[in-house]
Amino acid sequence: MSEDLTQQWLTEIQALKQQVAEAMTGRDEAWESAEKWRKLYNTESEQRRSDSQLLQQEVATLKAEIKKIKGIDETVLPDGDTNAAIQTEISQIESLQELQTKLITVTKERDRLLIALKTEQENHSQTRKSLTTALGDAIDSLTKERTAR
């Protein structure tokens, strides 16, 4: 009888050990699943943040383009009289041909000004280099003269 009771207890302990092992396996699987979902969530949220940032930049770019298309950029020409004169000139254009001619003229002038600006920038850069070299030479000469004394 005592052996039956011992056997019954051993069987019960084995069953409980099996249940604990199954529970631990289930816990580990749940943890792995939660970790997988956490990684997917983080990846998705990072993608959403990136997309949001890109879209905000695109919206800003499009807003700038709309301002440019609507008219003269106020930051470039803050003078109200200049804007009014331009608006008057635009309103005097009566045909598509006149508009095309004016556009061609303005485009040529813009290109000419861009070339002049680039030339001026190159000249400025060259002048800066020359002045820097001259200043360096003057400092070297002054240093030599001071050390010679």
Side-chain angles (χ1 to χ4, degrees), residues 93-108:
I93 296 175
E94 295 178 358
S95 71
L96 181 60
Q97 184 63 34
E98 285 180 48
L99 180 62
Q100 288 173 339
T101 303
K102 185 67 175 175
L103 180 60
I104 290 169
T105 304
V106 169
T107 303
K108 286 180 180 178

Side-chain angles (χ1 to χ4, degrees), residues 11-141:
T11 305
E12 185 70 26
I13 289 171
Q14 278 303 105
L16 289 173
K17 281 183 179 179
Q18 182 65 30
Q19 287 178 356
V20 168
E22 289 173 1
M24 290 174 81
T25 302
R27 179 201 62 196
D28 292 343
E29 289 173 356
W31 182 260
E32 288 174 11
S33 176
E35 191 63 28
K36 180 182 107 179
W37 284 106
R38 195 173 298 117
K39 285 180 183 177
L40 288 172
Y41 173 79
N42 287 336
T43 302
E44 183 70 19
S45 63
E46 184 63 36
Q47 182 64 41
R48 296 283 182 226
R49 282 191 290 274
S50 176
D51 289 348
S52 174
Q53 201 171 32
L54 289 173
L55 289 173
Q56 286 174 350
Q57 290 173 350
E58 189 173 340
V59 165
T61 302
L62 291 173
K63 283 182 179 180
E65 280 185 46
I66 289 171
K67 276 186 173 180
K68 208 173 196 180
I69 290 171
K70 280 186 174 180
I72 305 303
D73 187 1
E74 295 297 323
T75 59
V76 176
L77 298 172
D79 182 14
D81 293 337
T82 304
N83 289 338
I86 291 170
Q87 292 296 338
T88 302
E89 190 173 341
I90 290 171
S91 67
Q92 292 175 353
I93 296 175
E94 295 178 358
S95 71
L96 181 60
Q97 184 63 34
E98 285 180 48
L99 180 62
Q100 288 173 339
T101 303
K102 185 67 175 175
L103 180 60
I104 290 169
T105 304
V106 169
T107 303
K108 286 180 180 178
E109 179 67 12
R110 183 211 57 203
D111 291 345
R112 185 190 66 75
L113 290 171
L114 285 173
I115 291 169
L117 176 63
K118 186 173 181 174
T119 303
E120 183 64 30
Q121 287 172 335
E122 289 170 357
N123 291 340
H124 175 75
S125 177
Q126 185 61 40
T127 301
R128 184 177 64 235
K129 286 178 186 175
S130 298
L131 289 174
T132 302
T133 303
L135 182 59
D137 292 345
I139 290 172
D140 288 343
S141 297

